[in-house]
Structures are given as C-alpha cells and as structure tokens.
C-alpha cells in the first residue's frame, strides 16, 4: 500500500532542527501564555527589588531587567524573522500546489463539458433522425 503524505507532513519531515526550533520559539513568543508569564516575572522582579529588605540587586530604573529584555529582543527578532520567512515559503509553496490543483480541476471540467456537449449533440442527432424517419413514414 502506498504511503500518501500530505504536503504539510512532507514539509514537516523535511524541516531541519533549527527550522523547527525557530517555528516553536516564534509560536511560543507569540502566545498569550508567554505574555502572561513574562508579565508575572517582571512584576515579581520589581516587587522583589522594591521590598527587598537586605539586597536590591536591580534598583529602580531596573537597568539589569532592561538588559535582560534587550538581550531577549536581540535573539527573538531574528528567530521570529526566520520563522516568518519559513511561513512565507510554506505559503508560497502551498499557493503553487493550489494553483496546480486548480489548473488540473479546470482541465477535467473542460473535458467533462466537452463530453457533455458531445452527448448532447448525439442526442439531438438521434432526435432529428427519429423526426425525419416519422416524416418520411407519413408521406
């Protein structure tokens, strides 16, 4: 039995580790879960530095926190761009496949129309023959 995979399954199988990692990082960073977790961490960081009785490791204006966010953004931006480029490539390939399917469907529909027209013409020819046969019998 032939193993037929969808285009998406073939594409997933051919993806390299880095491609899959970029996709999963971009998916994770673009989720509400990530935003909520990051917000909780920021609030906890600020609270810990405001009410820290003994040691304030990052006092206001939270320069260390800004450095962490800058580093995160420096890595996140190119990873997200890689994922977007791959998504664009997937969309382009998918559009090409859709176009090929549409062209094939159009060709099949045209063939069916030709066949239907042929059948219709054959039916009309038979009707004309029958009518002509009846007229010749009447005379």
């Amino acid at each position: 039995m032939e193993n037929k995979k969808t285009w998406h399954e073939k594409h997933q199988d051919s993806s390299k580790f880095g491609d899959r990692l970029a996709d999963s990082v971009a998916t994770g960073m673009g989720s509400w879960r990530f935003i909520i977790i990051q917000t909780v961490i920021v609030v906890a960081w600020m609270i810990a530095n405001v009410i820290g009785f003994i040691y304030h490791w990052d006092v206001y204006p939270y320069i260390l926190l800004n450095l962490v966010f800058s580093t995160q953004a420096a890595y996140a931006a190119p990873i997200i761009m890689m994922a977007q480029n791959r998504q664009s490539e997937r969309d382009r390939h998918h559009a090409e496949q859709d176009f090929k399917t549409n062209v094939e469907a159009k060709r099949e529909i045209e063939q069916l129309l030709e066949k239907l027209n042929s059948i219709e013409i054959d039916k009309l020819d038979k009707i004309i023959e029958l009518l002509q046969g009846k007229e010749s019998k009447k005379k």
Side-chain angles (χ1 to χ4, degrees), residues 10-86:
K10 289 178 188 174
H11 185 73
Q12 288 291 95
D13 291 345
S14 68
S15 294
K16 297 175 186 164
F17 173 76
D19 297 335
R20 289 191 306 272
L21 180 64
D23 288 345
S24 62
V25 167
T27 300
M29 292 186 99
S31 69
W32 277 108
R33 181 175 185 238
F34 176 80
I35 292 171
I36 292 168
I37 290 171
Q38 186 159 341
T39 301
V40 168
I41 291 171
V42 168
V43 169
W45 183 289
M46 291 177 175
I47 289 172
N49 279 289
V50 168
I51 64 171
F53 295 109
I54 299 172
Y55 180 69
H56 300 274
W57 71 88
D58 189 21
V59 294
Y60 182 81
Y62 311 114
I63 294 171
L64 182 58
L65 182 62
N66 283 322
L67 178 64
V68 168
F69 282 144
S70 295
T71 304
Q72 178 188 34
Y75 282 100
I79 290 172
I80 291 170
M81 288 178 68
M82 283 188 288
Q84 287 176 335
N85 289 340
R86 286 181 32 74

Side-chain angles (χ1 to χ4, degrees), residues 119-133:
I119 291 171
E120 189 68 26
I121 289 171
D122 289 345
K123 282 180 13 184
L124 289 173
D125 288 344
K126 287 180 183 177
I127 291 171
I128 290 172
E129 284 177 21
L130 287 172
L131 289 174
Q132 287 174 348

